[in-house]
Amino acid sequence: MRRIGSIVLIAISMLLPGAAAQAAAEKVDCSRLDLEFLPADKIERIECELLHWSDPDDDAEGATAEIEMLTADMGTHVAHVASVVAGKNTYFDKMPVSSKLRNWKELEGFAVVGTEPEFRRYQIIRFGASISETPMSCIGFMKYMGGAIGQTGSAIGAKGYVAGYDCWRDGAPDRAQIEATLDAIDD
């Protein structure tokens, strides 16, 4: 965790995935992200990226974040996970998971169809969307980490979060599949 100094708030909805213009992305070995989606031998395609984001309009404070993203296609479903950690003097405004995912361009026709009970502090929703013109039944999830409190005792924002989705081609995932996805992330 980085040292907390003066405050710079950024709305992370602008950061993912449309932040490419402000971020330098590098492909990384997926094993370094320590995410396991079982069964591992069913993964048809996996891609991982590390982005170092900075706000070009923020002069003095230098709002920054590090973003690690994993996208895996397991044949029956596609998972996308983003782990975001704020840099020095940077905090994230908290927002509902539906607001976060609505801005992800690969989720065409995003429509919330319901909510799920929380699991290990994850907010969870069910939604429908198409990815590459293929209709899918999905779950979306988000968990904030490391909230900061200001001198007046009010919440400033979060120091990081994990957000993503798991979209299934043939039917909606059941609760056991949802928990298996979130367990893979938290291990």
Side-chain angles (χ1 to χ4, degrees):
M1 190 74 53
R2 292 181 173 85
R3 191 179 110 250
I4 298 173
S6 60
I7 302 165
V8 175
L9 289 173
I10 57 177
I12 198 63
S13 64
M14 298 179 296
L15 247 159
L16 294 171
Q22 299 146 337
E26 69 181 87
K27 301 279 186 201
V28 293
D29 179 11
C30 290
S31 65
R32 81 180 217 62
L33 299 182
D34 196 26
L35 292 171
E36 300 273 335
F37 289 98
L38 299 175
D41 63 339
K42 298 292 184 196
I43 295 177
E44 295 178 6
R45 182 184 66 83
I46 189 165
E47 183 176 292
C48 297
E49 291 182 315
L50 175 64
L51 291 93
H52 305 282
W53 182 87
S54 62
D55 185 353
D57 297 327
D58 189 5
D59 52 356
E61 298 298 323
T64 62
E66 287 213 356
I67 307 156
E68 291 182 314
M69 293 187 297
L70 173 137
T71 305
D73 188 335
M74 278 77 62
T76 56
H77 60 116
V78 175
H80 180 91
V81 180
S83 175
V84 183
V85 177
K88 181 180 173 184
N89 304 326
T90 308
Y91 302 91
F92 302 114
D93 290 329
K94 292 185 177 181
M95 62 179 55
V97 64
S98 59
S99 296
K100 179 78 60 198
L101 296 177
R102 192 174 312 282
N103 293 320
W104 292 15
K105 293 178 180 139
E106 72 270 21
L107 298 174
E108 304 157 353
F110 177 91
V112 174
V113 296
T115 60
E116 283 283 326
E118 288 189 7
F119 178 76
R120 295 187 184 164
R121 293 184 29 230
Y122 281 95
Q123 299 172 29
I124 305 169
I125 61 168
R126 287 187 179 268
F127 66 95
S130 292
I131 298 177
S132 300
E133 300 180 9
T134 302
M136 297 191 179
S137 296
C138 307
I139 59 134
F141 50 86
M142 183 167 57
K143 174 174 74 171
Y144 285 101
M145 301 168 291
I149 306 297
Q151 292 177 339
T152 62
S154 61
I156 296 172
K159 283 301 287 177
Y161 68 86
V162 173
Y165 58 81
D166 194 359
C167 291
W168 293 73
R169 291 179 173 92
D170 297 318
D174 62 22
R175 185 64 187 198
Q177 291 165 323
I178 294 169
E179 290 181 10
T181 295
L182 298 178
D183 277 338
I185 296 165
D186 273 349
D187 283 344

